[in-house]
Amino acid sequence: MSNMFPLPNAQWPVMNPGSVWLCGAGPGDPGLLTLHALNALRQADVVVYDALVSQEILDWAPQAHLEYAGKRGGKPSALQDDITRRLVELARQGKRVLRLKGGDPFVFGRGGEEAQTLIGAGIQVRIIPGITAGIGGLAYAGIPVTHRTVNQSVTFVTGHDATGDTPTSLDWDGIAKGSQMIVIYMGIKHVGQIAARLIAAGRSPDEPAAVVVSATTPKQQVLDTTLGRMEADIAASGLEPPAILCIGEGVRLRDGLDWQALAVGLAPVPRPAMAAC
Ligand code: SAH
C-alpha cells in the first residue's frame, strides 16, 4: 500500500515490508495517538495489539489484519515469548507489522524487550513513543505531574515486578524520602503494602492521593483519597484496573484543575477532609 497519509508538507516514514514498528497508542482516547501512530495504522498489513488498545483506535487500520496479543493471567512470561516470536514470524513473512501497545511502548510495557529480540533477529524496527498513562491519564484528571511551586520531580514505579509481587528491588525508603510525586502503575493489587511501606518510611498518611481508572476513556473514574486511606477506599469503591495511583501534594491541584468537571459545569470536587487514619 502506498503511503496515503494525508498531511501536507511532511515526508511521512514508509513502512517497509518485513519491518516491525513498535508503537504506543496512548492511554485510551484516540485523540491522544501521535501522527506517527496514525501513519503506521494506515500502512500496516498486520496490527498486533494489547488489551488496553481500544477498538476505536484499531478502526483506523481497516486494511490491516488484527491480532490480539493481550496477556491473560497464568504465564505472562511464556506468553510474552510467544508474542515476540509471532512478531518475528510475521516480519519474516514480509508483512508490514505494527506492534501497538497501550501508553508508551518503553514505559512498563516490555517494549524494550520486544525491540531487543527483533533487532537481534535482524529485523528493521521503528519505535513510536506514545503518551503514557502516568502523565496523560493524570492530566485528564486535572493532576499535573510537576508544578513549579509544588513539586519539581516525579517518580514512576510499577506496583509489581516480573513475579507479580511488589518489587523487592525497589528502594521504597528512598522513594518515600526522595520523590515528591509518586506515580504507580499496576498498583491496585498491592496498594496496601505499598502505602504501608511509604508511611513506614516517613510519608504522612494524610498526604493527598488519587486513583485514576480507565483514564482518558469514557469510563474514566477518579477516586480522591489519602495515602493512609487508599487501600480501604479502593476496596470500598470496587474500582478495577487499569488504574494509575498517584501520591503527593500535587494531587491537591486537581481541586482547581478538574477541567472535565468544569467543562460540564460542575464545580471541581473538593478533596475529602484530611482526617488522620
Ligand atoms: N505502557 C503503558 C503501561 C503499561 S502497564 C503506558 O505507558 O501507559 C499497564 C498499566 O498502565 C495498568 O495496569 C495501569 O496502571 C496503567 N494504565 C494504562 N492505561 C491506563 C488507563 N487508561 N487508565 C489508568 N491506568 C492505565
Side-chain angles (χ1 to χ4, degrees), residues 24-93:
D29 181 349
L32 297 178
L33 284 171
T34 63
L35 293 177
H36 275 305
L38 184 54
N39 178 41
L41 282 159
R42 298 287 289 266
Q43 296 182 69
D45 297 316
V46 187
V47 180
V48 181
Y49 65 99
D50 279 348
L52 292 175
V53 176
S54 72
Q55 185 59 46
E56 267 175 296
I57 287 173
L58 297 171
D59 286 346
W60 284 94
Q63 81 292 345
H65 173 71
L66 305 178
E67 276 194 28
Y68 175 69
K71 296 194 197 85
R72 286 142 288 217
K75 297 182 200 144
S77 303
L79 225 90
Q80 181 65 46
D81 288 349
D82 290 348
I83 296 167
T84 317
R85 210 173 298 129
R86 180 68 181 143
L87 294 174
V88 171
E89 183 179 68
L90 288 166
R92 291 203 169 133
Q93 287 169 10

Side-chain angles (χ1 to χ4, degrees), residues 212-237:
V212 187
V213 172
S214 296
T216 83
T217 76
K219 291 190 296 187
Q220 174 172 313
Q221 288 185 69
V222 185
L223 175 70
D224 289 297
T225 180
T226 63
L227 179 57
R229 287 210 308 251
M230 222 169 172
E231 182 184 20
D233 283 355
I234 291 173
S237 69

Side-chain angles (χ1 to χ4, degrees), residues 27 52 102-104 107-109 132-134 184-186 212-215 217 242-244:
L52 292 175
D104 182 281
V107 179
F108 302 127
T132 191
I184 305 169
Y185 291 68
M186 296 171 274
V212 187
V213 172
S214 296
T217 76
I244 286 287

